[in-house]
Each structure stands twice: as structure tokens, then as C-alpha cells.
Amino acid sequence: RTVLDRTRNAQPALAAFELALLALWRSWGVVPAAVLGHSLGEIPAAAAAGILSPGDALELACRRGEVMADLPSGEMAAVFAPAASVEPLVRPFARDVGIAAANAPDQTIVSGERVALEAAVAALQAAGLRVRRLGSGNAFHSPLVEPVLGRIEEAASGLVHAGPTVPFYSGLT
């Protein structure tokens, strides 16, 4: 694993890259008609919408990376099937594994505690589904994240927020 594979470093690096792309596009005169993001991507999207300054967005991404790095270890896997096909197969493991995201009509991400995820992956593969383990080392978008949500909210609450100047669409709303 490299330094950038670590959540503490990867999250601010990804946010910085997205903010740099935003600045580059704006320097070329490209202005978004609307913005959206998924997970960490909502932070740079909030900056693109004018809700956060780029500096505050990067600060929040750094704080989020630190908090998320403290999560118990877990795993994630991409399942190349619709969520409706995946959900019944992971339901027996629902206490420790769940659907983290539907990235495309035929790509579902499952996430959770390592041992339970291994069992869920075996069940998915036994059902004939193609699965690829992701090297996250953390179970993002799973119940394992719940203990740190308050710390992330606390980090965000201390920042200056403004009304959007560009329509902003959140995965939460």
C-alpha cells in the first residue's frame, strides 16, 4: 500500500484534485449549470456550488479523512449486478454488511465488517455474480461508519456556509 492508499491521505488528495479541476475549468470559462457529488465528492461539489470556500472544503476533507481513518477495518466489494439482485443475497448478513452504493444500473457496492463481507461475497459468487474486492481497508457507507458521523458533523458545523450560487444536488436529498 502507498501513502495515498491510506484514507487519511486519500480523501484530502481526491478533494484537492477535484478542486483543482474546478479551478482549471473555471479558468477556461466553464461554469457548471448544476453540481452533485457522491460521498467525499459532495465536499468539492459544495465548493463548486459556492456553499463552501475551496479552503474550507479542503479543511473539511482533511478532517473527514482523519475521522474516517479511525474507523474499524472493513471491506468493500463491487458486484456487477443490479442492487435488486444483490440485496436479497446480502440480506442474511444485514447486521454487518449492506449495500453501500449503486454506482450504475449493473454495478452495486457492498460494504461491511471483513469476515461477514467475505461470507457475503461467497454467497454472491455462488449465485453466479461477478464480484471484485476493493482495496479500501474501510467499510464506507456501512453501519461501521455510524460511530463517527457526529465527529464529521461537528467538523462541518464550524465552517462558514453560504447559499448556493449554482444548483447543488446532494445524495442525501
Side-chain angles (χ1 to χ4, degrees):
R1 290 181 60 122
T2 69
V3 170
L4 280 177
D5 287 331
R6 296 184 191 123
T7 297
R8 174 175 274 105
N9 303 325
Q11 294 210 355
L14 287 168
F17 179 75
E18 292 175 17
L19 290 166
L21 277 176
L22 172 65
L24 179 63
W25 290 336
R26 285 193 169 153
S27 77
W28 291 340
V30 176
V31 179
V35 294
L36 59 96
H38 169 70
S39 191
L40 171 70
E42 287 199 25
I43 296 173
I51 296 168
L52 293 173
S53 72
D56 281 352
L58 193 53
E59 179 182 336
L60 181 56
C62 290
R63 301 270 309 276
R64 184 181 191 270
E66 290 170 8
V67 168
M68 298 295 260
D70 291 341
L71 291 174
S73 65
E75 292 289 329
M76 298 179 78
V79 185
F80 297 91
S85 300
V86 173
E87 195 279 328
L89 296 168
V90 298
R91 191 177 306 132
F93 312 97
R95 190 174 64 102
D96 299 309
V97 174
I99 293 179
N103 286 349
D106 63 347
Q107 187 183 73
T108 304
I109 306 299
V110 293
S111 178
E113 188 276 326
R114 185 178 319 251
V115 173
L117 187 77
E118 288 174 8
V121 164
L124 292 161
Q125 290 172 326
L129 300 180
R130 188 166 67 99
V131 180
R132 183 174 57 93
R133 300 287 289 269
L134 304 177
S136 69
N138 291 100
F140 301 120
H141 307 282
S142 81
L144 294 177
V145 177
E146 289 176 19
V148 300
L149 293 178
R151 291 173 55 198
I152 295 171
E153 287 177 18
E154 182 181 318
S157 70
L159 301 175
V160 175
H161 301 84
T165 56
V166 173
F168 173 78
Y169 298 95
S170 169
L172 296 176
T173 59

